[in-house]
Amino acid sequence: MNQELNSNYYAVIMAGGIGSRFWPVSRTAMPKQFIDIAGTGMSLIQATYDRFKAIVPPQNIYILTNDKYKDLVAEQLKGIQEHQILCEPVMRNTAPCIAYACHKISELNPNASIVVAPSDHLILNPIQFGIDVTNALQTAETNPCLITLGIQPSRPDTGYGYIRFSEEELGQGFRKVLQFTEKPDRERAQSFIDSGNYLWNAGIFIWSAAEVLKAFESQLPEMNELFLQGRNVYNTDGEAAFLKDNYPNCENISIDYGIMEKARNVYVLPVEFGWSDLGTWASLYSLAEKDQEQNVVIPSGGTILTETNGCMINIPDGKKLIVKGLQDYIIAESNNTIMIIPRESEQEVKQIVADVKAKFGENYI
């Protein structure tokens, strides 16, 4: 099957985040992308890698991560080669790492079309995902456009970005993007859903190497010039030294703010393949299989729950948990740390992590 895959198609998987909203299970030393957070039998990055192996040649898949996670990536992704693991020497948000990867791939293959995706998303229908991404790669290959995938909103979620689109189409189903809106309040999110022309921003991007580098040249010229200076060392032994010297000089900016919100040739493909960014415990709870009392227990077993309903529970294998009389709580244990909070307080997890760091030190985060 791999021989039939288009050799001009590439995938870049972003795997450098910490995933602090899933603390204490997701920690700096072992972020959520390297954990089987959803109880599927494989980590999120392993599932992401497997999805892309069905779309692009395995040798054309690159992992963007932090230096400290290089060994974790190599350990979890059997068959990945060392040169396919691209390590940021410092964290600088998504625009710099994407610029680096796209310049590097362009030097290898100027005809490349590239899909960029996070490593920590859950996709329930990988076959449909493959169909949609391949459709987008084919469209990007033959049109001067930047493409993003948009999810049909199912609720007025305030944790997602929204994309407003017009009736103008590019090919079959690709709609011209009019505006990006970051994390609106609930009332505004409801108005977006009622209007019928807004989608959730999935954070999955597709473009040709040539077109995205044009966008960097236009919208982030200083960053683009910095990476242009490395064109003679990409894919050589001098690449790491170039990055170490130059990468810290990049502006700390996301691809959304830096490129997508400013470019005039952005299109969105509405998709439905069972997507969640798994950004919070509540997002995992909403997708996971529930028992008769609407509790989610991952891994299953190891608990006795009495008069308890609506709870999200994640405890290590081998541990036992007995709960009575709780409703709508999150209970999570890892690293000799237990967190018990109301589900409605899940947006406070980042502050909880900060408090733990201040009181107990970095070993617990």
Side-chain angles (χ1 to χ4, degrees):
M1 178 179 178
N2 288 342
Q3 292 179 351
E4 301 172 3
L5 299 176
N6 192 321
S7 62
N8 288 333
Y9 291 170
Y10 290 75
V12 174
I13 300 172
M14 296 182 290
I18 296 172
S20 60
R21 293 184 188 275
F22 269 103
W23 187 87
V25 174
S26 177
R27 295 175 287 113
T28 303
M30 180 65 78
K32 69 172 179 175
Q33 61 266 30
F34 301 109
I35 299 170
D36 180 13
I37 200 90
T40 63
M42 63 174 65
S43 70
L44 294 174
I45 192 173
Q46 288 171 330
T48 303
Y49 181 63
D50 277 3
R51 281 195 297 275
F52 280 115
K53 282 198 299 184
I55 302 170
V56 308
Q59 66 270 22
N60 288 4
I61 301 175
Y62 289 85
I63 313 297
L64 277 169
T65 191
N66 192 277
D67 272 333
K68 61 187 171 185
Y69 302 136
K70 181 179 180 179
D71 291 343
L72 268 175
V73 172
E75 178 186 326
Q76 291 209 356
L77 303 184
K78 303 306 181 187
I80 200 85
Q81 300 297 309
E82 185 175 359
H83 71 270
Q84 293 173 264
I85 306 174
L86 312 185
C87 295
E88 309 169 272
V90 293
M91 296 182 74
R92 282 292 183 272
N93 217 313
T94 53
C97 69
I98 290 172
Y100 160 43
C102 291
H103 271 283
K104 176 183 173 72
I105 290 170
S106 178
E107 288 300 317
L108 280 172
N109 183 352
N111 298 315
S113 291
I114 305 165
V115 52
V116 179
S119 61
D120 55 0
H121 288 185
L122 183 67
I123 306 294
L124 298 179
N125 188 342
I127 294 175
Q128 186 60 50
F129 176 82
I131 292 169
D132 291 330
V133 171
T134 300
N135 183 13
L137 284 165
Q138 291 169 345
T139 300
E141 190 174 29
T142 54
N143 293 276
C145 62
L146 307 175
I147 296 171
T148 184
L149 303 186
I151 310 297
Q152 192 65 46
S154 59
R155 60 188 182 278
D157 199 301
T158 60
Y160 293 146
Y162 287 72
I163 301 169
R164 181 161 71 98
F165 60 88
S166 72
E167 294 300 313
E168 181 182 342
E169 280 196 339
L170 174 70
Q172 185 64 38
F174 294 84
R175 310 293 285 273
K176 183 72 178 289
V177 171
L178 298 176
Q179 182 183 16
F180 288 84
T181 302
E182 276 299 309
K183 299 180 180 179
D185 60 34
R186 186 175 180 84
E187 183 177 352
R188 197 175 184 202
Q190 185 63 58
S191 72
F192 289 169
I193 292 177
D194 294 341
S195 75
N197 61 343
Y198 280 83
L199 299 163
W200 284 338
N201 184 0
I204 300 171
F205 308 106
I206 301 96
W207 41 53
S208 69
E211 202 59 39
V212 73
L213 294 184
K214 282 182 190 175
F216 272 102
E217 183 180 12
S218 172
Q219 307 299 341
L220 293 172
E222 291 182 5
M223 184 182 298
N224 188 62
E225 183 60 33
L226 185 151
F227 286 109
L228 269 177
Q229 294 171 17
R231 70 179 109 181
N232 293 325
V233 299
Y234 295 134
N235 311 300
T236 74
D237 292 340
E239 183 173 326
F242 169 80
L243 287 178
K244 184 177 180 181
D245 291 341
N246 292 277
Y247 202 93
N249 299 325
C250 287
E251 180 181 359
N252 189 333
I253 188 170
S254 72
I255 194 71
D256 299 82
Y257 285 123
I259 300 291
M260 302 302 284
E261 293 185 10
K262 299 172 185 175
R264 297 181 179 274
N265 59 337
V266 179
Y267 290 81
V268 62
L269 178 64
V271 295
E272 291 188 42
F273 41 60
W275 171 89
S276 173
D277 72 342
L278 285 186
T280 63
W281 285 112
S283 63
L284 176 57
Y285 175 84
S286 68
L287 283 169
E289 186 176 346
K290 301 168 183 63
D291 64 18
Q292 289 184 340
E293 286 73 39
Q294 297 302 298
N295 298 306
V296 172
V297 181
I298 300 175
S300 60
T303 60
I304 299 175
L305 308 179
T306 309
E307 298 172 17
T308 293
N309 53 71
C311 288
M312 174 71 240
I313 298 170
N314 188 297
I315 60 170
D317 272 326
K319 291 292 181 76
K320 308 302 178 189
L321 179 70
I322 294 86
V323 181
K324 180 175 181 178
L326 277 189
Q327 181 172 351
D328 299 332
Y329 266 72
I330 297 167
I331 303 171
E333 180 193 350
S334 183
N335 194 35
N336 292 323
T337 307
I338 302 173
M339 180 182 72
I340 305 171
I341 62 168
R343 268 177 46 211
E344 65 182 17
S345 301
E346 61 137 16
Q347 294 295 334
E348 300 172 23
V349 171
K350 275 200 167 185
Q351 183 57 50
I352 291 170
V353 172
D355 294 342
V356 168
K357 180 179 179 181
K359 185 162 185 177
F360 301 119
E362 293 190 356
N363 288 341
Y364 290 89
I365 64 161

